[in-house]
Amino acid sequence: MATLILAEHDDAHLNEATAKTLTAALALGQPVDVLVAGQNAKAVADAAAQLTGVRSVLLADGESLANRRAEPLADLIVSLAGQYDAIVVPGTSTGKNVAPRVAALLDVMQISEITKVVSPDTFERPIYAGNAIETVQSSDKTRVITVRIAAFPAAAAGGNAPVETIAAPGDSGLSSFVGADLSVSDRPELASAKVIVSGGRALGSAEKFQEVIAPLADQLKAAIGASRAAVDSGYAPNDWQVGQTGKVVAPDLYIAIGISGAIQHLAGMKDSKVIVAINKDGDAPIFQVADYGLVDDLFTVVPALTKALAN
Amino acid sequence: MKILVPVKRVVDTNVKIRVKADGTGVDLANVKMSMNPFDEIAVEEALRLKEAGKATEVVVVSIGTDKSAETLRTGLAMGADRAILVKTDAASVEPLAVAKLLKAVIANEAPGLVILGKQAIDDDSNQTGQMLAALLGWPQATFASKVALGDSSVDVTREVDGGLETLRLKLPAIVTTDLRLNEPRYASLPNIMKAKKKPLDETSPETLGVDASPRLTVLKTVEPTGRTAGVKLGTVDELVAKLKQAGVL
């Protein structure tokens, strides 16, 4: 049999999450087809066809798929499922939204956010926000899997797979798209940023948070994160929160500024490649996970670091 | 309109969990347990809709052992009207089975809206709401940061990668909560006392006619490869040099 992966895209561009999902899917050892579901998404299908290791690209193009609402998208995937013994979906907001709907319609138990393929039916996945790693084996006829994107490298370009057009599903009319308000910030998204500068309660106020954190983030082209304590104190908006109940991130570089390192914060960032901690309190738990620490006053060190990086 | 809110009893978010040395799971003995934080947000949203006159009754449901009754009492103390415990002795019930059990409860209760947490902070599955929507053939809006309930539809603003999007769902519908939706209230002491007298009904997977047996086998549970503390540096220049050396600048 074969594996089907769902492409992550915005109708114009193929998202890198697709190439990472492909790497996980290829580890199952079967031929891999890529489903591109969208509206006017031919360019995306052509880009997917160039990923190395793809057998063929299925392009379903139609109005019902314009915003990848879960109901029509799940119906489409289920209609294809008979030809596949694994359906692998990126752990993006679109993927996490649709995959369980597919799994339930197929009466199978989804394996969420895998970080490693042990064998075609056995996977590692983090639980308790990464504080434990579970190895699970599936006994279902079809495996429905979502992939923790940060855990897999992107498959290379260099392929030339055929693109086959398939019919888009009808629309049940259960849901409709009202609108989107996508952030136009120049900063990268927190969830996928390569560098994150995060601030904690020691910043003392929303003004200081901006004044100290933003210039360093600008200098590093980084996303800005915050500890729950900083969010609860009103220094930073809730969607910046990194932690067990916020966003779980794994950038190449994570700079924690004035963050003591509560358990629930560490759970959200400890898989970062390199962690830097800047904190006045040398005994703060954040230093137990940091690769490099500066025990000093953040209000002098951070501007100095920003300046040093500018030179 | 009746709103149903499924809630789960999980390890309190402030507890540092311990993985058992023999790899059989996470040690839950004598550990503080609480309502899953995303479920608290779901209860809060349902209560606000009731207080705004848009819902008439809030029913909390939990699937678990006797101890899940405590979690239901927490929901009742926050202000829910009544509770249903689907009692099982199973150590854990998978999201697919939970969704099937909830579907059976919904067949009896006929709510207009079901609000769930987007995921439980123990198994981090993020599946139950979507699966329930699929089994019922209802529309779904996951990761909600705003819910505007009308008579025959609900507008839900969702947290998606890169921003927000708004969907309109025909009722009945499934909504799952994200962090920004609201700040859950604390139960006051008088309300905690009052909650003890609110109705809490019990049922079981057998009574509901649902096979809740697991599909996945957990082979082992281990601690993640730990990080070791690195070095404390003296100056900003040293830090910049180290970061350049590590190739992250």
Side-chain angles (χ1 to χ4, degrees):
Chain A
M1 290 272 268
T3 300
L4 180 70
I5 72 169
L6 177 69
E8 175 71 24
H9 66 94
D10 61 0
D11 288 332
H13 301 101
L14 184 68
N15 188 297
E16 202 193 18
T18 313
K20 296 183 169 189
T21 304
L22 175 59
T23 300
L26 287 167
L28 299 177
Q30 303 283 343
V32 177
D33 292 346
V34 180
L35 172 63
V36 175
Q39 188 179 30
N40 302 322
K42 178 70 167 59
V44 175
D46 290 341
Q50 287 170 24
L51 293 173
T52 303
V54 174
R55 181 177 69 176
S56 66
V57 175
L58 308 178
L59 172 61
D61 207 305
E63 211 181 333
S64 62
L65 298 170
N67 298 289
R68 283 158 289 282
R69 281 173 296 117
E71 300 84 11
L73 183 53
D75 288 346
L76 172 67
I77 297 171
V78 168
S79 74
L80 299 169
Q83 302 155 52
Y84 299 95
D85 46 20
I87 295 165
V88 183
V89 173
T92 55
S93 53
T94 302
K96 289 191 264 198
N97 187 39
V98 75
R101 194 169 177 109
V102 171
L105 290 172
L106 296 173
D107 192 29
V108 304
M109 184 47 211
Q110 174 178 308
I111 306 124
S112 290
E113 299 271 317
I114 63 161
T115 49
K116 189 177 169 187
V117 177
V118 177
S119 75
D121 67 357
T122 305
F123 309 91
E124 283 185 7
R125 57 178 301 267
I127 55 174
Y128 290 93
N131 284 305
I133 309 293
E134 189 179 72
T135 304
V136 289
Q137 186 169 34
S138 167
S139 59
D140 281 317
K141 58 188 188 306
T142 309
R143 281 146 294 147
V144 175
I145 296 163
T146 63
V147 173
R148 173 70 58 92
I149 295 305
F152 293 90
N160 184 19
V163 177
E164 181 194 337
T165 303
I166 60 171
D171 199 335
S172 61
L174 286 172
S175 68
S176 55
F177 185 77
V178 177
D181 179 13
L182 299 181
S183 50
V184 284
S185 156
D186 292 338
R187 291 191 202 286
E189 249 178 72
L190 188 55
S192 58
K194 293 209 162 27
V195 181
I196 295 174
V197 178
S198 245
R201 187 157 47 190
L203 269 306
S205 70
E207 294 71 35
K208 284 286 175 195
F209 193 101
Q210 272 302 321
E211 201 179 303
V212 174
I213 302 293
L216 178 58
D218 287 342
Q219 186 61 44
L220 290 165
K221 298 188 174 56
I224 297 183
S227 69
R228 181 162 193 166
V231 171
D232 285 348
S233 307
Y235 304 167
N238 210 350
D239 59 329
W240 288 7
Q241 190 189 322
V242 172
Q244 182 159 12
T245 50
K247 294 204 163 64
V248 176
V249 299
D252 292 342
L253 175 60
Y254 188 92
I255 304 182
I257 297 169
I259 292 176
S260 62
I263 291 156
Q264 74 93 23
H265 185 77
L266 299 182
M269 46 66 83
K270 67 184 176 47
D271 290 331
S272 306
K273 282 205 188 93
V274 173
I275 296 174
V276 173
I278 298 172
N279 201 308
K280 223 164 33 182
D281 174 11
D283 295 327
I286 189 78
F287 288 111
Q288 289 163 20
V289 299
D291 299 284
Y292 307 113
L294 282 175
V295 184
D296 209 335
D297 179 19
L298 70 92
F299 293 105
T300 54
V301 169
V302 178
L305 177 59
T306 308
K307 205 171 151 207
L309 291 168
N311 292 333
Chain B
M1 182 190 308
K2 184 192 288 184
I3 302 179
L4 194 82
V5 183
V7 297
K8 184 176 184 183
R9 182 174 187 267
V10 299
V11 170
D12 188 89
T13 172
N14 291 311
V15 170
K16 173 142 180 63
I17 59 128
R18 270 191 334 110
V19 176
K20 291 185 200 163
D22 62 1
T24 56
V26 168
D27 194 353
L28 297 180
N30 305 314
V31 167
K32 185 184 179 208
M33 305 293 279
S34 297
M35 186 188 291
N36 180 42
F38 291 106
D39 303 350
E40 282 184 327
I41 295 172
V43 173
E44 176 66 33
E45 194 64 17
L47 295 174
R48 289 186 189 188
L49 289 167
K50 188 185 167 194
E51 285 158 2
K54 294 189 170 155
T56 49
E57 188 183 26
V58 176
V59 181
V60 286
V61 189
S62 194
I63 290 144
T65 62
D66 272 341
K67 292 191 170 161
S68 289
E70 292 168 18
T71 310
L72 289 169
R73 292 285 174 207
T74 304
L76 294 171
M78 286 174 75
D81 297 292
R82 59 191 177 84
I84 301 168
L85 173 63
V86 181
K87 206 169 131 183
T88 161
D89 291 330
S92 76
V93 185
E94 289 175 350
L96 181 64
V98 171
K100 288 178 179 177
L101 291 164
L102 292 174
K103 183 190 175 192
V105 169
I106 285 164
N108 298 328
E109 293 288 333
L113 188 66
V114 181
I115 310 179
L116 308 89
K118 73 167 180 180
Q119 74 190 62
I121 60 164
D122 50 5
D123 63 15
D124 284 330
S125 289
N126 191 342
Q127 299 176 7
T128 303
Q130 298 91 314
M131 287 183 155
L132 179 60
L135 297 178
L136 292 164
W138 291 6
Q140 69 184 55
T142 51
F143 325 142
S145 64
K146 193 176 162 203
V147 174
L149 184 59
D151 291 333
S152 61
S153 70
V154 58
D155 283 9
V156 181
T157 302
R158 307 177 54 228
E159 306 245 358
V160 295
D161 296 340
L164 300 171
E165 73 168 31
T166 304
L167 298 178
R168 179 165 298 160
L169 310 182
K170 281 189 184 163
L171 297 176
I174 302 288
V175 171
T176 78
T177 62
D178 216 322
L179 276 179
R180 274 206 283 183
L181 184 57
N182 61 48
E183 283 279 338
R185 69 194 67 187
Y186 290 102
S188 65
L189 191 58
N191 284 342
I192 292 171
M193 299 312 287
K194 255 200 277 184
K196 292 182 178 167
K197 298 205 175 97
K198 288 185 181 175
L200 191 159
D201 295 327
E202 271 189 30
T203 181
S204 69
E206 295 73 36
T207 310
L208 294 170
V210 173
D211 172 12
S213 53
R215 306 290 188 83
L216 300 180
T217 310
V218 179
L219 302 178
K220 64 176 175 187
T221 305
V222 298
E223 285 202 31
T225 34
R227 279 188 98 95
T228 42
V231 287
K232 285 179 182 157
L233 306 169
T235 67
V236 164
D237 290 339
E238 274 180 69
L239 175 61
V240 173
K242 288 282 188 194
L243 293 179
K244 280 187 176 149
Q245 220 173 37
V248 289
L249 283 185

